[in-house]
């Protein structure tokens, strides 16, 4: 805990300032998705995204304060386009749609 007579470390604030690049917080974070949103967008599980991050298949940023994973919307759109834009779905019966 930081005492009143101690100076607060600036690292998170510096990181936050660098992440913004002159944009407002709302403008900047609209360019990113959280892991649940990104997984739904790509049609994969959150675990798959974590594996892709671990193996270097996808670049992930971190929120400067809470360290949540942030996925750039433009990167996700490129991945989806490279996959042909088709998402595999399975019927409840376990069969793939025709």
């Amino acid at each position: 805990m930081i005492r009143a007579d101690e100076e607060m470390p600036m690292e998170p604030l510096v990181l936050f300032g660098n992440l913004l690049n002159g944009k407002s917080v709302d403008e900047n974070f609209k360019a990113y998705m959280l892991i649940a949103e990104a997984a739904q967008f790509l049609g994969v599980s959150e675990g798959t995204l974590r594996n892709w991050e671990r193996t270097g298949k996808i670049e992930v940023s971190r929120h400067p304060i809470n360290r949540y994973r942030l996925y750039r919307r433009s990167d996700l759109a490129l991945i989806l386009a490279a996959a042909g834009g088709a998402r595999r779905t399975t019927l409840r019966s376990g069969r793939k749609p025709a």
Side-chain angles (χ1 to χ4, degrees):
M1 178 179 251
I2 298 174
R3 295 187 325 235
D5 60 337
E6 289 183 67
E7 195 172 310
M8 185 175 151
M10 294 299 290
E11 184 178 318
L13 299 176
V14 170
L15 289 172
F16 192 65
N18 292 340
L19 186 62
L20 293 177
N21 293 328
K23 297 179 183 177
S24 74
V25 173
D26 286 341
E27 286 176 325
N28 195 60
F29 286 112
K30 283 182 183 175
Y32 293 88
M33 287 186 195
L34 295 172
I35 192 167
E37 298 167 311
Q40 183 177 10
F41 179 77
L42 293 176
V44 299
S45 71
E46 293 176 25
T48 296
L49 287 177
R50 289 184 194 100
N51 287 335
W52 289 354
E53 175 189 1
R54 191 171 29 259
T55 59
K57 293 179 181 178
I58 189 168
E59 187 177 319
V60 178
S61 300
R62 293 287 186 151
H63 189 284
I65 296 172
N66 61 26
R67 306 296 295 156
Y68 288 171
R69 288 173 172 87
L70 297 171
Y71 298 86
R72 196 175 302 122
R73 289 178 186 273
S74 58
D75 291 347
L76 299 175
L78 289 173
I79 291 169
L80 196 57
R87 298 181 192 171
R88 277 196 272 163
T89 57
T90 304
L91 300 175
R92 287 183 179 222
S93 65
R95 293 177 288 127
K96 290 184 181 177

